[in-house]
Amino acid sequence: MSRMQGEFNCCQRVRSVRLVCRQTTSSALKGAIQLGIGYTVGNLSSKPERDVLMQDFYVVESIFFPSEGSNLTPAHHYPDFRFKTYAPVAFRYFRELFGIRPDDYLYSLCNEPLIELSNPGASGSIFYLTRDDEFILKTVMHKEAEFLQKLLPGYYMNLNQNPRTLLPKFFGLYCVQSGGKNIRIVVMNNVLPRIVRMHLKFDLKGSTCKRRASKKEREKSKPTFKDLDFMQDVQDGLLLDVDTYNALVKTLQRDCLVLESFKIMDYSLLLGVHNLDQAEREQQMEGSQSSSDEKRPAAQRALYSTAMESIQGGAACGGSIDTEDTMGGIPAVSGKGERLLLFIGIIDILQSYRLIKKLEHTWKALVHDGDTVSVHRPNFYADRFFRFMSSTILRLQVIKSNFEEEKKTMLSELLDSTQF
Ligand code: ATP
């Protein structure tokens, strides 16, 4: 064997060992999460329902899972681990507020294998999705978990005042400790159900500095585009009727104010666009595939946290109002008049405006125009984000409403002129 060939084989081996390691770590992590959540939710059910108290936000429950099992925990095939649950009673309250029953939460997270999303973000976080599309799990850094804990009382206050929100819905915060490592996981709502084909996907910040999807990203089968891509490719924006536009923009405005008050920035609007007309064309081309393939199973509807519910108060106000046809998406129209459904949520909010961010801004502002970099003062960030979303991305369907008005006027004039 040549030296080169030997090195190649060696590299291949290292790569496959790494892959096996990663897969093993990932499957051990998934297993630990499922065992841990199963235990903690079960344990909670024995505690009586009561109002959330201030001290509930600071509670951390911890349980050891030896692989041979204990009188509290089952035996398992993973290395020993400790599972921590942050603020269990407070999160139970949040889940209840969002209409999620303990049994459904348990079933979604613990009964089916979790699906790992391949390489979605730049931060190196691992993302898992529950098989039923309901929940997304993200590994977060120590600072982010700490920040979420501090945020909880304010988050609670905000949810009570304003259930209409596109902010992430946090359902749980956990930590798996194993082999001297701490892996913190946050459970949130999944904004983009896999069951709905997203024809376009954007991660928008309202900044134009370096906000274009990379060549590598564009080559993916389902790329996530950015602000500059939207401005170039969707020049007419997404058109909404007046009521939907007002509800959505009002929700965004309130959310921005809340984020600013928490000194949060660098968040994104995650936007998935399902083009109903394109889907119909695709279906015709694909032939026999039934359109019902893309509809959510009825059993999931009651607890699904949808974009439409987020702007109308849905589950949190005690009722789901979206229909079968919209699949929880927000109806809109493209500049060409094609019927769209929008799937929207604000993501990545666990960034506080710390010293490091300030330094990053000062440095970037020297290199670029200070107003276009995405790392900014929270009030400026919120203002720019809101303006961009409510004018460049989302727009009023003025022409259609004018046309309807004109039609009404013409009709009444016609009736007037034809009165006997
Ligand atoms: P970055 O550092 O690039 O901001 P990150 O690792 O912090 O990335 P996020 O920005 O939170 O990760 O998310 C990265 C991607 O993961 C998003 O563009 C989106 O495709 C997916 N994602 C994140 N949160 C959700 C969610 N709640 N629902 C559906 N998809 C999500």
Side-chain angles (χ1 to χ4, degrees), residues 120-125 127 136 138 188-192 201 203 205 224 270 347-348:
S123 71
S125 290
F127 288 83
I136 196 156
K138 179 183 179 183
M188 302 175 286
N189 59 312
N190 174 26
V191 176
L192 307 178
K201 200 169 90 180
D203 179 302
K205 289 187 192 282
T224 305
L270 182 62
I347 59 163
D348 214 10

Side-chain angles (χ1 to χ4, degrees), residues 95-110:
R95 293 195 292 269
E96 206 179 284
L97 199 67
F98 294 122
I100 297 168
R101 291 196 308 267
D103 287 357
D104 293 331
Y105 188 65
L106 258 184
Y107 191 87
S108 294
L109 282 153
C110 305

Side-chain angles (χ1 to χ4, degrees), residues 33 111 135 139 155 168 201 271 280 282 306 312 338:
I33 292 172
N111 268 37
F135 304 105
T139 59
Y155 182 75
K201 200 169 90 180
L271 165 67
E280 262 174 30
E282 285 163 357
T306 65
Q312 296 189 317
E338 292 190 301

Side-chain angles (χ1 to χ4, degrees), residues 166 204 230 234 236-240 244-250 252 269 271 273 311 330-333 342 344 385-397:
L166 288 161
L204 303 163
F230 188 100
V234 195
D236 297 323
L238 304 166
L239 311 177
L240 300 148
T244 315
Y245 177 85
N246 285 342
L248 184 49
V249 164
K250 206 167 167 190
L252 276 173
L269 188 81
L271 165 67
V273 182
I311 63 167
I330 300 171
V333 176
L342 310 182
I344 297 185
F385 182 91
F386 176 69
R387 277 170 203 273
F388 187 76
M389 303 313 157
S390 57
S391 56
T392 305
I393 308 295
L394 308 167
R395 298 191 202 166
L396 251 180
Q397 206 178 334

